[in-house]
C-alpha cells in the first residue's frame, strides 16, 4: 500500500514501479517463492507532503479456503457471515480492476459475486445464519433479504466493532439505528450516472420499490403510535406544533427513532414525494408511553417558486409520524400515524 511514489523489488526485479504521486492505494501481485531459497526484498519510497504511509504486507494463499469454511459451518450451532466491501474498493480515482467497480466507482451495487455465492453455499447447509454487512455504501442484497433471517448493517465500524456486533447479536444491546441512505434493488432502477437531475433519486424523489427505505431499521422491541395531534387549519407564517404518543409494546427496553415526514399536496411547483422534517431518539422501557412534540417552522413547509424565491404557500400538507417512512411494504397501522394540515392565508416570503 503506497501514498506517493514507491517501488518494490525482489532480487532486483521490479514488482511494483509507481514512482509518481498516488493516493493511498493498495496494490496486489501474486509472487511464487521456492522453499528454502532466500530472496532479497527492497522497498523504495518517497513522500511529497502530508503524513507518510507505507505498508508491505504478504499472505500465503489459502488452500481451498471456501471448502474449509463450509466444513467448519457444518459443526457449529449457528453461522455468522461477514461480507461487504472495503475502502480499498469503493472510493475515487482508484486502480480497482474487479467486476462491479471502475476506478473506485460502483458499476454494480450488488455484493461481489464470490461473496454472494459463498453466502448461498453456507445457507444451503441449513444452520441458523446471520449476515453482518461491512460497507460504506448501499448494497442490493435481494437474495440475502429473501433467504437470510437476520441481517445487521455495521458499515465501517472501527476498532470496537467486535464488541458492538456481539452485544447486538447476543441481545445485550437493543439496536435502534436507521438507514441514512436508500437501499435500492438494482442500479438499473436509477437514472444514468451522468444525469444530474434529482428525478427518481433518493427517498425524496424515488418512485419505484426499494429494498430498504431511508430511515428503516429494526429493533428487538415494537413501538405503537397513537393520538396524532395537528391543527386542522393554521395561517401561513406561523409555527405548527405536532404531538404524538409513542409506546414501547415489546418485551425489551429500547430506543425508538421517531421520524416526521411532510408532503406538500398542492404545491405550485414540483416538490419531493416527502421530506424528513424532524426526528427524535427516545428511550422507552417495556410498556412505557411518551408524548413526543415537534415544532414545524414556515421554512419547513416552504418551496422555491419559479423565481427562485423561498415562499410558504397556502394549501394542504400531509404529516406522517412514525418509526420510518409511510411506505406500504414496511409500514403498519401501528408504527406510524398520519394527518392533514390546511395552511390558509396569503403567500408568505421566507427570509431565513
Amino acid at each position: 500500500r503506497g501514498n506517493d511514489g514507491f517501488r518494490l523489488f525482489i532480487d532486483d526485479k521490479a514488482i511494483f514501479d509507481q514512482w509518481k504521486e498516488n493516493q493511498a492505494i493498495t496494490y496486489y501481485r501474486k509472487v511464487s517463492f521456492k522453499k528454502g531459497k532466500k530472496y532479497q526484498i527492497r522497498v523504495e519510497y518517497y513522500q511529497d507532503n502530508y503524513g507518510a504511509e507505507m505498508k508491505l504486507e504478504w499472505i500465503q494463499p489459502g488452500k481451498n479456503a471456501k471448502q474449509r469454511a463450509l466444513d467448519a459451518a457444518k459443526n457449529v450451532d449457528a453461522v455468522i457471515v461477514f461480507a461487504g466491501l472495503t475502502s480499498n474498493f469503493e472510493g475515487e480515482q482508484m486502480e480497482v480492476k474487479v467486476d462491479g467497480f471502475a476506478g473506485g466507482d460502483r458499476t454494480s451495487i450488488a455484493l461481489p459475486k464470490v461473496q454472494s455465492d459463498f453466502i448461498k453455499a453456507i445457507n444451503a447447509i441449513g444452520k441458523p445464519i446471520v449476515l453482518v454487512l461491512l460497507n460504506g455504501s448501499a448494497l442490493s442484497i435481494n437474495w440475502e433479504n429473501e433467504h437470510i433471517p437476520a441481517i445487521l448493517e455495521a458499515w465501517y465500524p472501527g476498532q470496537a466493532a467486535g464488541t458492538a456486533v456481539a452485544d447486538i447479536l447476543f441481545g445485550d444491546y437493543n439496536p435502534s439505528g436507521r438507514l441514512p441512505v436508500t437501499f435500492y434493488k438494482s442500479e438499473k432502477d436509477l437514472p444514468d450516472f451522468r444525469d444530474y437531475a434529482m428525478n427518481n433519486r433518493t427517498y425524496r424523489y424515488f418512485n419505484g420499490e426499494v429494498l430498504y427505505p431511508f430511515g428503516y431499521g429494526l429493533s428487538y422491541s415494537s413501538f405503537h403510535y397513537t393520538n396524532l395531534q395537528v391543527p386542522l387549519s393554521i395561517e401561513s407564517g406561523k409555527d405548527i406544533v405536532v404531538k404524538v404518543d409513542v409506546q414501547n409494546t415489546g418485551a425489551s427496553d429500547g430506543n425508538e427513532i421517531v421520524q416526521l415526514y411532510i408532503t406538500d399536496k398542492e404545491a405550485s411547483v414540483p416538490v419531493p414525494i416527502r421530506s424528513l422534517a424532524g426526528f427524535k431518539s427516545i428511550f422507552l422501557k417495556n410498556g412505557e408511553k411518551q408524548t413526543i412534540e415537534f415544532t414545524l417552522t414556515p421554512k419547513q413547509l416552504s418551496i422555491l417558486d419559479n423565481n427562485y424565491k423561498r415562499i410558504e404557500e397556502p394549501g394542504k400538507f400531509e404529516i406522517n409520524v412514525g418509526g420510518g417512512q409511510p411506505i406500504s411494504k414496511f409500514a403498519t397501522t401501528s408504527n406510524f400515524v398520519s394527518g392533514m394540515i390546511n395552511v390558509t392565508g396569503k403567500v408568505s416570503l421566507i427570509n431565513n
Side-chain angles (χ1 to χ4, degrees), residues 45-282:
Y45 169 70
Y46 80 85
Q47 178 67 32
D48 183 48
N49 52 31
Y50 302 110
E53 180 179 0
M54 184 66 189
K55 296 180 181 179
L56 173 61
E57 301 173 323
W58 62 89
I59 184 171
Q60 183 178 357
K63 296 181 179 179
N64 204 4
K66 179 179 178 180
Q67 189 58 51
R68 287 190 288 114
L70 294 174
D71 291 341
K74 297 175 182 177
N75 299 311
V76 299
D77 296 325
V79 181
I80 303 173
V81 177
F82 288 79
L85 307 172
T86 76
S87 57
N88 293 330
F89 288 92
E90 50 181 353
E92 294 182 6
Q93 298 180 348
M94 303 170 66
E95 293 190 13
V96 177
K97 297 179 180 178
V98 178
D99 288 344
F101 298 87
D105 292 330
R106 304 280 301 280
T107 59
S108 170
I109 59 174
L111 271 175
K113 187 176 184 301
V114 63
Q115 295 188 36
S116 182
D117 289 345
F118 177 73
I119 294 170
K120 292 175 182 177
I122 288 287
N123 187 65
I125 294 174
K127 296 295 180 72
I129 181 172
V130 176
L131 172 61
V132 180
L133 295 176
L134 306 174
N135 48 292
S137 56
L139 294 167
S140 60
I141 49 169
N142 298 290
W143 186 92
E144 291 77 9
N145 176 65
E146 293 293 330
H147 295 86
I148 305 301
I151 301 175
L152 174 64
E153 174 57 81
W155 303 107
Y156 291 149
Q159 65 181 8
T163 300
V165 169
D167 284 348
I168 291 174
L169 296 186
F170 286 95
D172 296 323
Y173 179 78
N174 192 352
S176 62
R178 298 294 185 266
L179 289 181
V181 295
T182 301
F183 275 47
Y184 303 99
K185 289 190 171 184
S186 171
E187 66 280 356
K188 296 178 182 178
D189 294 335
L190 298 169
D192 189 278
F193 182 77
R194 295 159 292 187
D195 180 356
Y196 294 159
M198 289 303 298
N199 184 44
N200 225 34
R201 295 184 188 277
T202 78
Y203 82 95
R204 302 176 77 217
Y205 299 95
F206 188 76
N207 287 300
E209 184 177 326
V210 301
L211 183 62
Y212 305 117
F214 170 91
Y216 177 75
L218 297 178
S219 167
Y220 293 143
S221 300
S222 57
F223 299 91
H224 188 62
Y225 286 75
T226 56
N227 193 27
L228 177 66
Q229 301 176 51
V230 295
L232 295 177
S233 180
I234 194 166
E235 188 177 348
S236 64
K238 294 185 177 181
D239 290 349
I240 300 172
V241 176
V242 178
K243 295 182 181 180
V244 65
D245 292 342
V246 185
Q247 184 176 17
N248 184 345
T249 55
S252 303
D253 302 343
N255 279 76
E256 170 70 332
I257 310 301
V258 183
Q259 305 167 45
L260 188 154
Y261 294 88
I262 296 177
T263 299
D264 190 335
K265 305 295 287 187
E266 298 179 342
S268 60
V269 295
V271 293
I273 298 169
R274 66 184 60 91
S275 298
L276 180 68
F279 65 92
K280 292 185 178 180
S281 176
I282 61 171

